[in-house]
């Protein structure tokens, strides 16, 4: 065992009994490289983070420029820092009118925590409606609204006043009432294994929220920033949320999250009490410089190709062992009969130089979420390796 592996096992707290243990020396574009010269095609983007590929030159350059100026100078919301300003303005220019005010945080879970607080503060209500099978993060509040009991039960008590309903079940929408501060939903359930909303389900959800004056929070931590073939997934469904949460790809490879709403609504967090949400590192200037550069790269022609690339994966992955392919853009789940098949594909894939990965709440599927910059020939190579593994199952 290499020295690095030994150190990893001895000094880093584990999250599971069998981590992937891929040692990384360098990452570039869609490839990761190990110390032994081993090259891996990254089909998961560090879980939907590297949407513009690893170390995009424009992102690296923006980071360099910013590190020559300043790093952290003050907690969020006090000083005026141009990379933070620029990114907020840039995001708002790409969003509908009511999403015109950005609060930068550090991660997806924090963005969701803050969105819940904002909805409670704004409506004066306490109940939150969330969905079975959803995933919103791992801090207490986000875990409370996550619909996977298995992952929650050891950590109770969690937040009170959370009501769960079934995704894609219009009859459940009646449970959203005048007591509900907010409904939080992933427009496509990511870690449940890419579950798409049926026809006009999200429109019905929007209507019910309007009827009950309930805030609608879209958690686009995973679906945002081009992953689904549009900049934001809500654009597919003809509705706009009241609060949008983002993270993962938002920082171009550095840690950054955000919750976005209207100026009027956001104002509520600045009084009664003032400092209603605060964070030391949220909106870190280096992370915002990197994120803004990545955002510009995404908007300069990458997103347009996402659907075509996703469709190529789908066409190329025809095999009788695959029970179903669920997909939107380059957010893809392959469904199998058994968990063992999924385990074999992920671990054999690594041996053969492709990286795929599991879902948190669906153990008979695995995920493909490559950098959106992946090329046609790389998709074809990836699919032929997956098919080779399937032939040997
Ligand atoms: N929300 C969704 C939909 C996610 O997929 C994730 C992470 O996978 C999160 C929230 C949590 O984000 P983070 O890990 O940055 O806290």
């Amino acid at each position: 065992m290499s020295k690095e592996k030994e150190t990893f096992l001895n000094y880093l707290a584990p999250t599971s009994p069998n981590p992937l243990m891929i040692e990384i020396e360098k990452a570039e574009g869609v490839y990761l490289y190990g110390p032994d010269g081993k090259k891996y095609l990254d089909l998961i983007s560090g879980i939907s983070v590297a949407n513009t590929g690893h170390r995009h030159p424009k992102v690296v350059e923006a980071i360099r420029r910013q590190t020559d100026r300043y790093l952290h100078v003050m907690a969020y919301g006090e000083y005026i820092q141009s990379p933070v300003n620029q990114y907020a303005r840039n995001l708002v220019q790409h969003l509908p009118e009511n999403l015109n005010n950005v609060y930068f945080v550090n991660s997806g879970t924090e963005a969701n925590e803050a969105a819940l607080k904002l909805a409670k503060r704004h409506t004066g209500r306490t109940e939150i409606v969330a969905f079975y099978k959803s995933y919103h993060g791992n801090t207490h509040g986000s875990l409370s609204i996550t619909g996977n009991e298995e992952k929650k039960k050891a950590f109770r008590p969690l937040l009170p006043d959370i009501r769960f309903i079934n995704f894609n079940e219009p009859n459940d929408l009646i449970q959203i009432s005048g007591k509900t501060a907010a409904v939080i939903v992933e427009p496509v359930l990511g870690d449940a294994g890419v579950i798409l909303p049926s026809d006009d389900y999200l429109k019905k959800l929007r209507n019910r929220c309007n009827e009950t004056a309930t805030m609608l929070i879209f958690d686009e931590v995973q679906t945002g920033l081009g992953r689904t073939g549009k900049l934001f997934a809500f654009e597919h469904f003809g509705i706009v949320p009241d609060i949008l949460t983002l993270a993962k790809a938002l920082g171009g490879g550095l840690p950054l999250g955000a919750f976005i709403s209207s100026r009027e609504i956001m104002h509520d967090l600045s009084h009664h009490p003032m400092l209603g949400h605060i964070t030391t590192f949220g909106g870190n200037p280096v992370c915002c410089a990197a994120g803004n550069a990545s955002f510009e790269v995404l908007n300069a022609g990458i997103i347009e190709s996402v659907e075509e690339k996703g469709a190529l994966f789908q066409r190329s992955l025809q095999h009788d062992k695959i029970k179903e392919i669920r997909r939107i853009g380059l957010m893809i789940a392959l469904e199998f009969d058994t968990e063992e098949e999924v385990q074999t594909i992920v671990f054999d894939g690594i041996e053969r130089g492709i990286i795929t990965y599991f879902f948190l709440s669906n153990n008979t599927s695995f995920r493909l979420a490559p950098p959106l910059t992946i090329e046609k020939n790389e998709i074809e190579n990836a699919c032929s390796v997956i098919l080779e593994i399937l032939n040997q199952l």
Side-chain angles (χ1 to χ4, degrees), residues 47-49 106-112 134-139 142 146 184-191 219-223 245-248 256-257 331 360 367:
I47 314 293
S48 300
V49 170
N106 302 280
S107 64
T109 196
E110 187 190 352
N112 288 333
S134 63
Y135 181 70
H136 297 291
N138 249 257
T139 49
S142 298
T146 285
I184 182 161
V185 66
E186 299 163 82
V188 175
L189 298 187
D191 266 281
D219 174 348
E220 293 228 30
V221 167
Q222 199 167 147
T223 54
T245 61
L246 300 170
K248 290 198 181 279
L256 188 64
M331 185 172 179
L360 287 173
R367 85 175 78 213

Side-chain angles (χ1 to χ4, degrees), residues 288-305:
C288 284
N292 192 44
S294 181
F295 189 71
E296 288 186 348
V297 170
L298 268 182
N299 284 308
I302 289 183
I303 295 175
E304 287 75 5
S305 65

Side-chain angles (χ1 to χ4, degrees), residues 268-285:
D268 289 343
L269 287 179
S270 65
H271 63 104
H272 302 310
M274 75 173 210
L275 307 177
H277 189 75
I278 50 173
T279 158
T280 299
F281 285 123
N284 175 279

